[in-house]
mmCIF file with all atom_site columns, all heavy atoms in Angstrom:
data_model
loop_
_atom_site.group_PDB
_atom_site.id
_atom_site.type_symbol
_atom_site.label_atom_id
_atom_site.label_alt_id
_atom_site.label_comp_id
_atom_site.label_asym_id
_atom_site.label_entity_id
_atom_site.label_seq_id
_atom_site.pdbx_PDB_ins_code
_atom_site.Cartn_x
_atom_site.Cartn_y
_atom_site.Cartn_z
_atom_site.occupancy
_atom_site.B_iso_or_equiv
_atom_site.pdbx_formal_charge
_atom_site.auth_seq_id
_atom_site.auth_comp_id
_atom_site.auth_asym_id
_atom_site.auth_atom_id
_atom_site.pdbx_PDB_model_num
ATOM 1  N N   . GLU A 1 29 ? 129.120 -49.179 82.996 1.00 85.00 ? 29 GLU A N   1
ATOM 2  C CA  . GLU A 1 29 ? 130.238 -48.448 82.385 1.00 85.00 ? 29 GLU A CA  1
ATOM 3  C C   . GLU A 1 29 ? 130.101 -48.403 80.864 1.00 85.00 ? 29 GLU A C   1
ATOM 4  O O   . GLU A 1 29 ? 130.251 -47.351 80.239 1.00 85.00 ? 29 GLU A O   1
ATOM 5  C CB  . GLU A 1 29 ? 131.558 -49.115 82.774 1.00 85.00 ? 29 GLU A CB  1
ATOM 6  C CG  . GLU A 1 29 ? 132.770 -48.488 82.117 1.00 85.00 ? 29 GLU A CG  1
ATOM 7  C CD  . GLU A 1 29 ? 134.044 -49.282 82.352 1.00 85.00 ? 29 GLU A CD  1
ATOM 8  O OE1 . GLU A 1 29 ? 134.018 -50.346 83.000 1.00 85.00 ? 29 GLU A OE1 1
ATOM 9  O OE2 . GLU A 1 29 ? 135.089 -48.823 81.862 1.00 85.00 ? 29 GLU A OE2 1
ATOM 10 N N   . CYS A 1 30 ? 129.798 -49.537 80.274 1.00 84.00 ? 30 CYS A N   1
ATOM 11 C CA  . CYS A 1 30 ? 129.654 -49.608 78.814 1.00 84.00 ? 30 CYS A CA  1
ATOM 12 C C   . CYS A 1 30 ? 128.421 -48.826 78.360 1.00 84.00 ? 30 CYS A C   1
ATOM 13 O O   . CYS A 1 30 ? 128.478 -48.087 77.368 1.00 84.00 ? 30 CYS A O   1
ATOM 14 C CB  . CYS A 1 30 ? 129.568 -51.065 78.384 1.00 84.00 ? 30 CYS A CB  1
ATOM 15 S SG  . CYS A 1 30 ? 129.528 -51.293 76.608 1.00 84.00 ? 30 CYS A SG  1
ATOM 16 N N   . CYS A 1 31 ? 127.312 -48.976 79.057 1.00 89.00 ? 31 CYS A N   1
ATOM 17 C CA  . CYS A 1 31 ? 126.088 -48.244 78.693 1.00 89.00 ? 31 CYS A CA  1
ATOM 18 C C   . CYS A 1 31 ? 126.328 -46.740 78.745 1.00 89.00 ? 31 CYS A C   1
ATOM 19 O O   . CYS A 1 31 ? 125.891 -46.005 77.852 1.00 89.00 ? 31 CYS A O   1
ATOM 20 C CB  . CYS A 1 31 ? 124.936 -48.634 79.615 1.00 89.00 ? 31 CYS A CB  1
ATOM 21 S SG  . CYS A 1 31 ? 124.399 -50.352 79.455 1.00 89.00 ? 31 CYS A SG  1
ATOM 22 N N   . LEU A 1 32 ? 127.021 -46.275 79.775 1.00 88.00 ? 32 LEU A N   1
ATOM 23 C CA  . LEU A 1 32 ? 127.320 -44.848 79.890 1.00 88.00 ? 32 LEU A CA  1
ATOM 24 C C   . LEU A 1 32 ? 128.261 -44.388 78.783 1.00 88.00 ? 32 LEU A C   1
ATOM 25 O O   . LEU A 1 32 ? 128.156 -43.263 78.308 1.00 88.00 ? 32 LEU A O   1
ATOM 26 C CB  . LEU A 1 32 ? 127.893 -44.525 81.268 1.00 88.00 ? 32 LEU A CB  1
ATOM 27 C CG  . LEU A 1 32 ? 126.871 -44.603 82.404 1.00 88.00 ? 32 LEU A CG  1
ATOM 28 C CD1 . LEU A 1 32 ? 127.562 -44.532 83.764 1.00 88.00 ? 32 LEU A CD1 1
ATOM 29 C CD2 . LEU A 1 32 ? 125.800 -43.530 82.259 1.00 88.00 ? 32 LEU A CD2 1
ATOM 30 N N   . PHE A 1 33 ? 129.161 -45.262 78.339 1.00 85.00 ? 33 PHE A N   1
ATOM 31 C CA  . PHE A 1 33 ? 130.018 -44.939 77.199 1.00 85.00 ? 33 PHE A CA  1
ATOM 32 C C   . PHE A 1 33 ? 129.154 -44.654 75.976 1.00 85.00 ? 33 PHE A C   1
ATOM 33 O O   . PHE A 1 33 ? 129.369 -43.683 75.256 1.00 85.00 ? 33 PHE A O   1
ATOM 34 C CB  . PHE A 1 33 ? 130.992 -46.089 76.915 1.00 85.00 ? 33 PHE A CB  1
ATOM 35 C CG  . PHE A 1 33 ? 131.688 -45.969 75.590 1.00 85.00 ? 33 PHE A CG  1
ATOM 36 C CD1 . PHE A 1 33 ? 132.773 -45.118 75.440 1.00 85.00 ? 33 PHE A CD1 1
ATOM 37 C CD2 . PHE A 1 33 ? 131.244 -46.690 74.483 1.00 85.00 ? 33 PHE A CD2 1
ATOM 38 C CE1 . PHE A 1 33 ? 133.414 -44.998 74.214 1.00 85.00 ? 33 PHE A CE1 1
ATOM 39 C CE2 . PHE A 1 33 ? 131.877 -46.569 73.255 1.00 85.00 ? 33 PHE A CE2 1
ATOM 40 C CZ  . PHE A 1 33 ? 132.961 -45.723 73.121 1.00 85.00 ? 33 PHE A CZ  1
ATOM 41 N N   . PHE A 1 34 ? 128.144 -45.495 75.737 1.00 87.00 ? 34 PHE A N   1
ATOM 42 C CA  . PHE A 1 34 ? 127.255 -45.291 74.598 1.00 87.00 ? 34 PHE A CA  1
ATOM 43 C C   . PHE A 1 34 ? 126.407 -44.033 74.769 1.00 87.00 ? 34 PHE A C   1
ATOM 44 O O   . PHE A 1 34 ? 126.057 -43.376 73.800 1.00 87.00 ? 34 PHE A O   1
ATOM 45 C CB  . PHE A 1 34 ? 126.337 -46.494 74.382 1.00 87.00 ? 34 PHE A CB  1
ATOM 46 C CG  . PHE A 1 34 ? 127.047 -47.715 73.862 1.00 87.00 ? 34 PHE A CG  1
ATOM 47 C CD1 . PHE A 1 34 ? 126.827 -48.948 74.434 1.00 87.00 ? 34 PHE A CD1 1
ATOM 48 C CD2 . PHE A 1 34 ? 127.930 -47.637 72.799 1.00 87.00 ? 34 PHE A CD2 1
ATOM 49 C CE1 . PHE A 1 34 ? 127.474 -50.082 73.960 1.00 87.00 ? 34 PHE A CE1 1
ATOM 50 C CE2 . PHE A 1 34 ? 128.588 -48.758 72.309 1.00 87.00 ? 34 PHE A CE2 1
ATOM 51 C CZ  . PHE A 1 34 ? 128.353 -49.985 72.898 1.00 87.00 ? 34 PHE A CZ  1
ATOM 52 N N   . CYS A 1 35 ? 126.080 -43.684 76.011 1.00 87.00 ? 35 CYS A N   1
ATOM 53 C CA  . CYS A 1 35 ? 125.236 -42.516 76.285 1.00 87.00 ? 35 CYS A CA  1
ATOM 54 C C   . CYS A 1 35 ? 125.905 -41.209 75.916 1.00 87.00 ? 35 CYS A C   1
ATOM 55 O O   . CYS A 1 35 ? 125.249 -40.295 75.413 1.00 87.00 ? 35 CYS A O   1
ATOM 56 C CB  . CYS A 1 35 ? 124.861 -42.465 77.767 1.00 87.00 ? 35 CYS A CB  1
ATOM 57 S SG  . CYS A 1 35 ? 123.629 -43.659 78.250 1.00 87.00 ? 35 CYS A SG  1
ATOM 58 N N   . GLY A 1 36 ? 127.167 -41.090 76.203 1.00 80.00 ? 36 GLY A N   1
ATOM 59 C CA  . GLY A 1 36 ? 127.854 -39.827 75.950 1.00 80.00 ? 36 GLY A CA  1
ATOM 60 C C   . GLY A 1 36 ? 127.458 -38.769 76.960 1.00 80.00 ? 36 GLY A C   1
ATOM 61 O O   . GLY A 1 36 ? 126.758 -39.023 77.944 1.00 80.00 ? 36 GLY A O   1
ATOM 62 N N   . GLU A 1 37 ? 127.909 -37.551 76.698 1.00 85.00 ? 37 GLU A N   1
ATOM 63 C CA  . GLU A 1 37 ? 127.670 -36.414 77.595 1.00 85.00 ? 37 GLU A CA  1
ATOM 64 C C   . GLU A 1 37 ? 126.190 -36.050 77.658 1.00 85.00 ? 37 GLU A C   1
ATOM 65 O O   . GLU A 1 37 ? 125.503 -36.024 76.638 1.00 85.00 ? 37 GLU A O   1
ATOM 66 C CB  . GLU A 1 37 ? 128.453 -35.194 77.104 1.00 85.00 ? 37 GLU A CB  1
ATOM 67 C CG  . GLU A 1 37 ? 129.957 -35.362 77.165 1.00 85.00 ? 37 GLU A CG  1
ATOM 68 C CD  . GLU A 1 37 ? 130.481 -35.380 78.581 1.00 85.00 ? 37 GLU A CD  1
ATOM 69 O OE1 . GLU A 1 37 ? 129.988 -34.602 79.412 1.00 85.00 ? 37 GLU A OE1 1
ATOM 70 O OE2 . GLU A 1 37 ? 131.392 -36.193 78.849 1.00 85.00 ? 37 GLU A OE2 1
ATOM 71 N N   . GLY A 1 38 ? 125.709 -35.745 78.863 1.00 91.00 ? 38 GLY A N   1
ATOM 72 C CA  . GLY A 1 38 ? 124.366 -35.220 79.039 1.00 91.00 ? 38 GLY A CA  1
ATOM 73 C C   . GLY A 1 38 ? 123.250 -36.254 79.028 1.00 91.00 ? 38 GLY A C   1
ATOM 74 O O   . GLY A 1 38 ? 122.079 -35.903 79.148 1.00 91.00 ? 38 GLY A O   1
ATOM 75 N N   . ASN A 1 39 ? 123.576 -37.526 78.868 1.00 93.00 ? 39 ASN A N   1
ATOM 76 C CA  . ASN A 1 39 ? 122.573 -38.589 78.873 1.00 93.00 ? 39 ASN A CA  1
ATOM 77 C C   . ASN A 1 39 ? 122.915 -39.579 79.971 1.00 93.00 ? 39 ASN A C   1
ATOM 78 O O   . ASN A 1 39 ? 124.067 -39.708 80.363 1.00 93.00 ? 39 ASN A O   1
ATOM 79 C CB  . ASN A 1 39 ? 122.543 -39.309 77.524 1.00 93.00 ? 39 ASN A CB  1
ATOM 80 C CG  . ASN A 1 39 ? 122.189 -38.374 76.392 1.00 93.00 ? 39 ASN A CG  1
ATOM 81 O OD1 . ASN A 1 39 ? 121.128 -37.780 76.378 1.00 93.00 ? 39 ASN A OD1 1
ATOM 82 N ND2 . ASN A 1 39 ? 123.100 -38.230 75.437 1.00 93.00 ? 39 ASN A ND2 1
ATOM 83 N N   . GLY A 1 40 ? 121.913 -40.296 80.434 1.00 94.00 ? 40 GLY A N   1
ATOM 84 C CA  . GLY A 1 40 ? 122.129 -41.253 81.515 1.00 94.00 ? 40 GLY A CA  1
ATOM 85 C C   . GLY A 1 40 ? 121.566 -42.617 81.203 1.00 94.00 ? 40 GLY A C   1
ATOM 86 O O   . GLY A 1 40 ? 121.061 -42.877 80.100 1.00 94.00 ? 40 GLY A O   1
#
Side-chain angles (χ1 to χ4, degrees):
E29 176 188 2
C30 185
C31 294
L32 289 169
F33 167 79
F34 289 133
C35 285
E37 295 290 320
N39 299 300

